[in-house]
Amino acid sequence: MRYSIFLSFLMFIGCLSSPKQQKESFSEKVSDTLVVVKDTENVDERHLKKAMADALEKITASFQGKDWEYMYDFDTTEEGYAPIGVYIKVRKFAEGAYYAVIYTYDQAETLIRLYRIDNNTMQEKVSESFPLLTDPSDTIFDANGDGVKDFALRYYPLSGCCRRDIYYLYLSPEKKEGQLSYIELINPTFYPKEHLIRGIGYGRPGHVELYKYRWRGEVLDTLEYILPDVATKGKTFLKTKHIRDFYDNDKEGKTHLNKLPKEYQTVIGLDYFLDYTAEDFNSD
């Protein structure tokens, strides 16, 4: 009975580790546009947006066709509120194309937006808000190895039992019009030269899987999952293409591994994945 409960849990965490495409199914191409319906904004949100508008004015007035960073406080003291922090980062994204990433933040929330600078016009591409303590950040890199730079937002949720390093990945902003949708990934390590992502799902050590995805254009295909073998209390591992195969009594679909493949040794957080003892399997 306990083993059945554990296998049902594996099925659940496997769903958590699968890459999620915003407003898209996993097997379909990422949409070029995204329509977001938001709740009625509160006073704090209005202040963050006012600070964002002020930052856009500063970029328009100061941008000189090169990388630029600027940080300041947007004054809201006349309205009885603490100043809003503003951080502007302008970077060359592609030949002749500059983008601005703007952070506006108060004591509770961070609003992040990505804009394409087109002469004196600012085209909004991304807009996301996060609780301040989730430590949001951004990066520009070629995630899928197609030679085109991508944009990613990264944060660490406050709630949950286990390691959860979340990426919102926006592919090829320079090739798309309008606002971008994203692919959500958990605990990923990117291997653009191999067109792969390897990473760790969501769960406790001993009961969480490694995963490997392969890029097919802008779509991710699942190649395999690896999980410690309960039968050997984690001394060996099982490999399969589908999470459901871990709890299937049929041996077909599962491969027994005496040790982890070398290709996983560089996965960020591998020490977390391996941080278990035989006692962690006693209740299974």
Side-chain angles (χ1 to χ4, degrees), residues 141-189:
F141 69 116
D142 180 8
N144 58 355
D146 63 355
V148 179
K149 289 183 179 179
D150 308 303
F151 178 72
L153 291 175
R154 178 183 181 184
Y155 73 104
Y156 202 99
L158 298 175
S159 61
C161 67
C162 311
R163 180 183 174 87
R164 188 159 51 144
D165 193 12
I166 302 295
Y167 278 73
Y168 289 172
L169 180 61
Y170 305 82
L171 295 170
S172 309
E174 187 58 22
K175 295 169 61 177
K176 299 171 184 175
E177 297 295 329
Q179 281 197 310
L180 306 172
S181 58
Y182 59 78
I183 298 173
E184 181 178 342
L185 296 159
I186 184 168
N187 303 322
T189 304

Short mmCIF file of all heavy atoms in Angstrom, two decimals, residues 141-189:
data_model
loop_
_atom_site.label_atom_id
_atom_site.label_comp_id
_atom_site.label_asym_id
_atom_site.label_seq_id
_atom_site.Cartn_x
_atom_site.Cartn_y
_atom_site.Cartn_z
N PHE A 141 20.70 34.91 -23.45
CA PHE A 141 21.62 33.89 -23.94
C PHE A 141 20.90 33.05 -24.99
O PHE A 141 19.67 33.13 -25.14
CB PHE A 141 22.12 33.01 -22.79
CG PHE A 141 21.06 32.11 -22.19
CD1 PHE A 141 21.17 30.73 -22.27
CD2 PHE A 141 19.96 32.64 -21.51
CE1 PHE A 141 20.20 29.91 -21.72
CE2 PHE A 141 19.00 31.83 -20.94
CZ PHE A 141 19.11 30.45 -21.05
N ASP A 142 21.65 32.24 -25.71
CA ASP A 142 21.07 31.33 -26.70
C ASP A 142 20.75 30.02 -25.99
O ASP A 142 21.63 29.20 -25.76
CB ASP A 142 22.06 31.10 -27.85
CG ASP A 142 21.52 30.17 -28.92
OD1 ASP A 142 20.33 29.81 -28.84
OD2 ASP A 142 22.30 29.80 -29.82
N ALA A 143 19.49 29.82 -25.64
CA ALA A 143 19.10 28.66 -24.84
C ALA A 143 19.01 27.38 -25.64
O ALA A 143 19.34 26.30 -25.13
CB ALA A 143 17.76 28.92 -24.16
N ASN A 144 18.56 27.47 -26.88
CA ASN A 144 18.31 26.25 -27.66
C ASN A 144 19.33 25.98 -28.76
O ASN A 144 19.18 25.03 -29.53
CB ASN A 144 16.90 26.27 -28.26
CG ASN A 144 16.66 27.49 -29.14
OD1 ASN A 144 17.51 28.37 -29.24
ND2 ASN A 144 15.50 27.54 -29.76
N GLY A 145 20.37 26.81 -28.83
CA GLY A 145 21.45 26.53 -29.77
C GLY A 145 21.14 26.83 -31.22
O GLY A 145 21.81 26.30 -32.12
N ASP A 146 20.17 27.71 -31.48
CA ASP A 146 19.82 28.03 -32.87
C ASP A 146 20.55 29.26 -33.38
O ASP A 146 20.31 29.73 -34.49
CB ASP A 146 18.32 28.22 -33.03
CG ASP A 146 17.77 29.40 -32.22
OD1 ASP A 146 18.54 30.02 -31.46
OD2 ASP A 146 16.56 29.69 -32.34
N GLY A 147 21.46 29.82 -32.55
CA GLY A 147 22.22 30.98 -32.97
C GLY A 147 21.52 32.31 -32.73
O GLY A 147 22.06 33.36 -33.06
N VAL A 148 20.31 32.28 -32.14
CA VAL A 148 19.53 33.48 -31.87
C VAL A 148 19.41 33.66 -30.35
O VAL A 148 19.10 32.70 -29.64
CB VAL A 148 18.12 33.39 -32.50
CG1 VAL A 148 17.32 34.65 -32.18
CG2 VAL A 148 18.23 33.19 -34.00
N LYS A 149 19.63 34.86 -29.87
CA LYS A 149 19.58 35.10 -28.43
C LYS A 149 18.15 35.03 -27.90
O LYS A 149 17.21 35.47 -28.55
CB LYS A 149 20.20 36.47 -28.10
CG LYS A 149 21.71 36.52 -28.27
CD LYS A 149 22.25 37.87 -27.86
CE LYS A 149 23.77 37.92 -28.02
NZ LYS A 149 24.31 39.25 -27.65
N ASP A 150 18.04 34.47 -26.71
CA ASP A 150 16.76 34.34 -26.02
C ASP A 150 16.81 35.13 -24.72
O ASP A 150 17.89 35.51 -24.24
CB ASP A 150 16.45 32.87 -25.75
CG ASP A 150 16.57 32.01 -27.00
OD1 ASP A 150 15.88 32.32 -27.99
OD2 ASP A 150 17.37 31.05 -27.00
N PHE A 151 15.65 35.35 -24.14
CA PHE A 151 15.55 36.11 -22.89
C PHE A 151 14.92 35.21 -21.83
O PHE A 151 13.99 34.46 -22.10
CB PHE A 151 14.68 37.35 -23.10
CG PHE A 151 14.47 38.19 -21.87
CD1 PHE A 151 15.51 38.95 -21.35
CD2 PHE A 151 13.24 38.22 -21.23
CE1 PHE A 151 15.32 39.73 -20.20
CE2 PHE A 151 13.04 38.99 -20.10
CZ PHE A 151 14.08 39.75 -19.58
N ALA A 152 15.45 35.28 -20.61
CA ALA A 152 14.91 34.46 -19.52
C ALA A 152 14.77 35.28 -18.25
O ALA A 152 15.63 36.11 -17.93
CB ALA A 152 15.81 33.26 -19.26
N LEU A 153 13.67 35.05 -17.54
CA LEU A 153 13.48 35.55 -16.18
C LEU A 153 13.61 34.37 -15.23
O LEU A 153 13.09 33.28 -15.52
CB LEU A 153 12.11 36.20 -16.02
CG LEU A 153 11.90 37.51 -16.77
CD1 LEU A 153 10.45 37.99 -16.63
CD2 LEU A 153 12.85 38.59 -16.25
N ARG A 154 14.28 34.60 -14.13
CA ARG A 154 14.56 33.53 -13.18
C ARG A 154 14.12 33.98 -11.79
O ARG A 154 14.36 35.13 -11.40
CB ARG A 154 16.05 33.21 -13.19
CG ARG A 154 16.51 32.15 -12.21
CD ARG A 154 18.01 32.01 -12.29
NE ARG A 154 18.52 31.00 -11.37
CZ ARG A 154 19.81 30.73 -11.19
NH1 ARG A 154 20.73 31.42 -11.87
NH2 ARG A 154 20.20 29.80 -10.34
N TYR A 155 13.49 33.10 -11.03
CA TYR A 155 13.11 33.43 -9.67
C TYR A 155 13.02 32.15 -8.85
O TYR A 155 13.00 31.04 -9.38
CB TYR A 155 11.80 34.21 -9.63
CG TYR A 155 10.56 33.39 -9.92
CD1 TYR A 155 9.70 33.00 -8.90
CD2 TYR A 155 10.23 33.01 -11.22
CE1 TYR A 155 8.57 32.25 -9.16
CE2 TYR A 155 9.09 32.27 -11.49
CZ TYR A 155 8.27 31.89 -10.46
OH TYR A 155 7.16 31.13 -10.71
N TYR A 156 12.95 32.33 -7.53
CA TYR A 156 12.87 31.19 -6.63
C TYR A 156 11.65 31.37 -5.73
O TYR A 156 11.67 32.22 -4.83
CB TYR A 156 14.14 31.09 -5.78
CG TYR A 156 14.39 29.71 -5.22
CD1 TYR A 156 15.29 28.85 -5.84
CD2 TYR A 156 13.70 29.26 -4.10
CE1 TYR A 156 15.52 27.58 -5.35
CE2 TYR A 156 13.91 27.99 -3.60
CZ TYR A 156 14.82 27.16 -4.23
OH TYR A 156 15.03 25.88 -3.74
N PRO A 157 10.56 30.61 -5.94
CA PRO A 157 9.34 30.77 -5.16
C PRO A 157 9.57 30.63 -3.66
O PRO A 157 10.44 29.88 -3.22
CB PRO A 157 8.43 29.65 -5.68
CG PRO A 157 8.94 29.37 -7.06
CD PRO A 157 10.43 29.57 -6.99
N LEU A 158 8.77 31.35 -2.89
CA LEU A 158 8.93 31.34 -1.43
C LEU A 158 8.37 30.09 -0.79
O LEU A 158 8.83 29.66 0.27
CB LEU A 158 8.24 32.58 -0.84
CG LEU A 158 8.78 33.94 -1.29
CD1 LEU A 158 7.91 35.05 -0.71
CD2 LEU A 158 10.22 34.11 -0.84
N SER A 159 7.35 29.49 -1.41
CA SER A 159 6.70 28.34 -0.80
C SER A 159 7.20 27.04 -1.42
O SER A 159 7.82 27.04 -2.49
CB SER A 159 5.18 28.44 -0.99
OG SER A 159 4.86 28.45 -2.37
N GLY A 160 6.93 25.93 -0.75
CA GLY A 160 7.31 24.62 -1.28
C GLY A 160 8.32 23.93 -0.40
O GLY A 160 9.05 24.54 0.39
N CYS A 161 8.40 22.60 -0.57
CA CYS A 161 9.26 21.79 0.28
C CYS A 161 10.67 21.64 -0.27
O CYS A 161 11.60 21.31 0.46
CB CYS A 161 8.67 20.39 0.43
SG CYS A 161 8.66 19.43 -1.12
N CYS A 162 10.83 21.89 -1.58
CA CYS A 162 12.02 21.36 -2.24
C CYS A 162 12.63 22.38 -3.21
O CYS A 162 12.06 23.45 -3.45
CB CYS A 162 11.65 20.09 -3.01
SG CYS A 162 10.71 18.90 -2.00
N ARG A 163 13.78 22.01 -3.72
CA ARG A 163 14.50 22.89 -4.64
C ARG A 163 13.60 23.25 -5.82
O ARG A 163 13.03 22.39 -6.48
CB ARG A 163 15.77 22.19 -5.14
CG ARG A 163 16.59 23.03 -6.13
CD ARG A 163 17.79 22.24 -6.63
NE ARG A 163 18.50 22.96 -7.66
CZ ARG A 163 19.46 23.84 -7.44
NH1 ARG A 163 19.85 24.07 -6.21
NH2 ARG A 163 20.05 24.46 -8.43
N ARG A 164 13.50 24.58 -6.10
CA ARG A 164 12.61 25.02 -7.17
C ARG A 164 13.14 26.31 -7.78
O ARG A 164 12.69 27.40 -7.49
CB ARG A 164 11.19 25.20 -6.64
CG ARG A 164 10.17 25.47 -7.73
CD ARG A 164 8.76 25.15 -7.29
NE ARG A 164 8.37 25.77 -6.03
CZ ARG A 164 7.14 26.24 -5.79
NH1 ARG A 164 6.22 26.17 -6.71
NH2 ARG A 164 6.85 26.75 -4.61
N ASP A 165 14.11 26.17 -8.65
CA ASP A 165 14.71 27.29 -9.37
C ASP A 165 13.96 27.41 -10.70
O ASP A 165 14.13 26.59 -11.60
CB ASP A 165 16.20 27.00 -9.59
CG ASP A 165 16.96 28.22 -10.04
OD1 ASP A 165 16.43 29.33 -9.97
OD2 ASP A 165 18.12 28.06 -10.49
N ILE A 166 13.12 28.44 -10.82
CA ILE A 166 12.20 28.55 -11.95
C ILE A 166 12.73 29.52 -13.01
O ILE A 166 13.19 30.61 -12.69
CB ILE A 166 10.81 29.01 -11.49
CG1 ILE A 166 10.24 28.05 -10.44
CG2 ILE A 166 9.86 29.15 -12.67
CD1 ILE A 166 9.97 26.67 -10.98
N TYR A 167 12.62 29.09 -14.27
CA TYR A 167 12.94 29.94 -15.41
C TYR A 167 11.70 30.16 -16.26
O TYR A 167 10.99 29.20 -16.57
CB TYR A 167 14.00 29.29 -16.29
CG TYR A 167 15.43 29.48 -15.84
CD1 TYR A 167 15.92 28.80 -14.73
CD2 TYR A 167 16.31 30.32 -16.52
CE1 TYR A 167 17.24 28.94 -14.31
CE2 TYR A 167 17.62 30.47 -16.12
CZ TYR A 167 18.08 29.79 -15.01
OH TYR A 167 19.38 29.94 -14.60
N TYR A 168 11.44 31.41 -16.64
CA TYR A 168 10.51 31.73 -17.71
C TYR A 168 11.38 32.03 -18.93
O TYR A 168 12.10 33.03 -18.96
CB TYR A 168 9.66 32.96 -17.38
CG TYR A 168 8.62 32.76 -16.31
CD1 TYR A 168 7.91 33.85 -15.81
CD2 TYR A 168 8.32 31.50 -15.79
CE1 TYR A 168 6.93 33.69 -14.84
CE2 TYR A 168 7.35 31.33 -14.81
CZ TYR A 168 6.67 32.44 -14.34
OH TYR A 168 5.70 32.27 -13.36
N LEU A 169 11.30 31.19 -19.93
CA LEU A 169 12.16 31.31 -21.10
C LEU A 169 11.37 31.85 -22.29
O LEU A 169 10.39 31.23 -22.73
CB LEU A 169 12.77 29.94 -21.45
CG LEU A 169 13.71 29.90 -22.65
CD1 LEU A 169 14.93 30.80 -22.43
CD2 LEU A 169 14.16 28.46 -22.90
N TYR A 170 11.80 32.98 -22.81
CA TYR A 170 11.17 33.63 -23.95
C TYR A 170 12.11 33.47 -25.15
O TYR A 170 13.20 34.04 -25.17
CB TYR A 170 10.92 35.11 -23.69
CG TYR A 170 10.12 35.39 -22.43
CD1 TYR A 170 10.75 35.42 -21.18
CD2 TYR A 170 8.76 35.64 -22.49
CE1 TYR A 170 10.02 35.68 -20.02
CE2 TYR A 170 8.03 35.91 -21.35
CZ TYR A 170 8.66 35.93 -20.11
OH TYR A 170 7.95 36.19 -18.96
N LEU A 171 11.69 32.71 -26.13
CA LEU A 171 12.55 32.38 -27.26
C LEU A 171 12.51 33.45 -28.35
O LEU A 171 11.44 33.94 -28.72
CB LEU A 171 12.15 31.03 -27.85
CG LEU A 171 12.34 29.81 -26.95
CD1 LEU A 171 11.69 28.58 -27.56
CD2 LEU A 171 13.83 29.56 -26.69
N SER A 172 13.69 33.80 -28.84
CA SER A 172 13.87 34.64 -30.04
C SER A 172 13.01 35.89 -30.05
O SER A 172 12.22 36.10 -30.98
CB SER A 172 13.57 33.81 -31.29
OG SER A 172 14.29 32.61 -31.30
N PRO A 173 13.13 36.77 -29.05
CA PRO A 173 12.31 37.99 -29.05
C PRO A 173 12.49 38.84 -30.30
O PRO A 173 11.54 39.48 -30.75
CB PRO A 173 12.83 38.75 -27.81
CG PRO A 173 13.40 37.71 -26.93
CD PRO A 173 13.99 36.69 -27.86
N GLU A 174 13.69 38.82 -30.87
CA GLU A 174 13.97 39.67 -32.02
C GLU A 174 13.22 39.22 -33.27
O GLU A 174 13.03 40.00 -34.20
CB GLU A 174 15.48 39.69 -32.28
CG GLU A 174 15.95 40.67 -33.35
CD GLU A 174 15.57 42.11 -33.05
OE1 GLU A 174 15.32 42.45 -31.88
OE2 GLU A 174 15.50 42.90 -34.01
N LYS A 175 12.76 37.97 -33.30
CA LYS A 175 12.10 37.43 -34.48
C LYS A 175 10.57 37.51 -34.39
O LYS A 175 9.87 37.09 -35.31
CB LYS A 175 12.51 35.97 -34.68
CG LYS A 175 13.98 35.78 -34.99
CD LYS A 175 14.40 34.33 -34.92
CE LYS A 175 13.67 33.47 -35.90
NZ LYS A 175 14.15 32.05 -35.86
N LYS A 176 10.04 38.05 -33.28
CA LYS A 176 8.61 38.02 -33.04
C LYS A 176 8.06 39.40 -32.73
O LYS A 176 8.73 40.23 -32.12
CB LYS A 176 8.29 37.05 -31.89
CG LYS A 176 8.72 35.63 -32.18
CD LYS A 176 8.59 34.75 -30.94
CE LYS A 176 9.11 33.35 -31.24
NZ LYS A 176 9.14 32.50 -30.04
N GLU A 177 6.82 39.59 -33.13
CA GLU A 177 6.13 40.85 -32.85
C GLU A 177 5.26 40.68 -31.61
O GLU A 177 4.83 39.59 -31.27
CB GLU A 177 5.27 41.26 -34.04
CG GLU A 177 6.06 41.54 -35.31
CD GLU A 177 6.99 42.74 -35.17
OE1 GLU A 177 6.65 43.67 -34.40
OE2 GLU A 177 8.06 42.74 -35.81
N GLY A 178 4.98 41.81 -30.97
CA GLY A 178 4.07 41.79 -29.83
C GLY A 178 4.68 41.19 -28.59
O GLY A 178 5.87 40.91 -28.51
N GLN A 179 3.83 40.99 -27.58
CA GLN A 179 4.29 40.40 -26.33
C GLN A 179 4.57 38.91 -26.53
O GLN A 179 3.94 38.23 -27.34
CB GLN A 179 3.26 40.59 -25.22
CG GLN A 179 3.29 41.98 -24.62
CD GLN A 179 2.57 42.03 -23.29
OE1 GLN A 179 1.45 41.57 -23.17
NE2 GLN A 179 3.22 42.61 -22.29
N LEU A 180 5.52 38.42 -25.74
CA LEU A 180 6.00 37.06 -25.89
C LEU A 180 5.38 36.13 -24.85
O LEU A 180 5.11 36.55 -23.73
CB LEU A 180 7.52 37.02 -25.75
CG LEU A 180 8.32 37.94 -26.66
CD1 LEU A 180 9.79 37.92 -26.25
CD2 LEU A 180 8.17 37.53 -28.12
N SER A 181 5.18 34.89 -25.21
CA SER A 181 4.83 33.86 -24.24
C SER A 181 6.11 33.14 -23.82
O SER A 181 7.16 33.32 -24.42
CB SER A 181 3.82 32.87 -24.83
OG SER A 181 4.34 32.27 -25.99
N TYR A 182 6.00 32.32 -22.77
CA TYR A 182 7.21 31.69 -22.25
C TYR A 182 7.03 30.20 -22.04
O TYR A 182 5.92 29.68 -21.96
CB TYR A 182 7.64 32.35 -20.92
CG TYR A 182 6.62 32.29 -19.81
CD1 TYR A 182 6.43 31.12 -19.07
CD2 TYR A 182 5.87 33.40 -19.48
CE1 TYR A 182 5.51 31.06 -18.04
CE2 TYR A 182 4.93 33.36 -18.44
CZ TYR A 182 4.76 32.20 -17.73
OH TYR A 182 3.84 32.14 -16.72
N ILE A 183 8.17 29.51 -21.93
CA ILE A 183 8.22 28.13 -21.50
C ILE A 183 8.73 28.14 -20.06
O ILE A 183 9.76 28.75 -19.77
CB ILE A 183 9.15 27.29 -22.39
CG1 ILE A 183 8.65 27.27 -23.83
CG2 ILE A 183 9.28 25.86 -21.85
CD1 ILE A 183 9.62 26.60 -24.81
N GLU A 184 8.02 27.49 -19.15
CA GLU A 184 8.43 27.45 -17.75
C GLU A 184 9.22 26.17 -17.49
O GLU A 184 8.78 25.07 -17.83
CB GLU A 184 7.20 27.50 -16.84
CG GLU A 184 7.57 27.48 -15.36
CD GLU A 184 6.35 27.56 -14.46
OE1 GLU A 184 5.27 27.97 -14.97
OE2 GLU A 184 6.46 27.22 -13.27
N LEU A 185 10.39 26.34 -16.90
CA LEU A 185 11.28 25.22 -16.60
C LEU A 185 11.67 25.24 -15.13
O LEU A 185 11.83 26.30 -14.54
CB LEU A 185 12.54 25.29 -17.46
CG LEU A 185 12.33 25.16 -18.98
CD1 LEU A 185 13.49 25.75 -19.74
CD2 LEU A 185 12.12 23.71 -19.36
N ILE A 186 11.84 24.06 -14.55
CA ILE A 186 12.23 23.94 -13.16
C ILE A 186 13.62 23.33 -13.06
O ILE A 186 13.93 22.32 -13.69
CB ILE A 186 11.21 23.11 -12.35
CG1 ILE A 186 11.58 23.09 -10.86
CG2 ILE A 186 11.06 21.70 -12.89
CD1 ILE A 186 10.48 22.55 -9.98
N ASN A 187 14.50 23.99 -12.31
CA ASN A 187 15.86 23.50 -12.03
C ASN A 187 16.59 23.07 -13.30
O ASN A 187 17.17 21.98 -13.36
CB ASN A 187 15.80 22.32 -11.05
CG ASN A 187 15.11 22.66 -9.75
OD1 ASN A 187 15.26 23.76 -9.23
ND2 ASN A 187 14.35 21.72 -9.22
N PRO A 188 16.61 23.92 -14.35
CA PRO A 188 17.24 23.49 -15.59
C PRO A 188 18.74 23.81 -15.65
O PRO A 188 19.22 24.73 -14.99
CB PRO A 188 16.50 24.32 -16.64
CG PRO A 188 16.25 25.62 -15.93
CD PRO A 188 15.99 25.25 -14.48
N THR A 189 19.47 23.05 -16.44
CA THR A 189 20.82 23.37 -16.87
C THR A 189 20.81 23.32 -18.39
O THR A 189 20.40 22.30 -18.97
CB THR A 189 21.86 22.40 -16.31
OG1 THR A 189 21.77 22.37 -14.87
CG2 THR A 189 23.27 22.82 -16.70
#
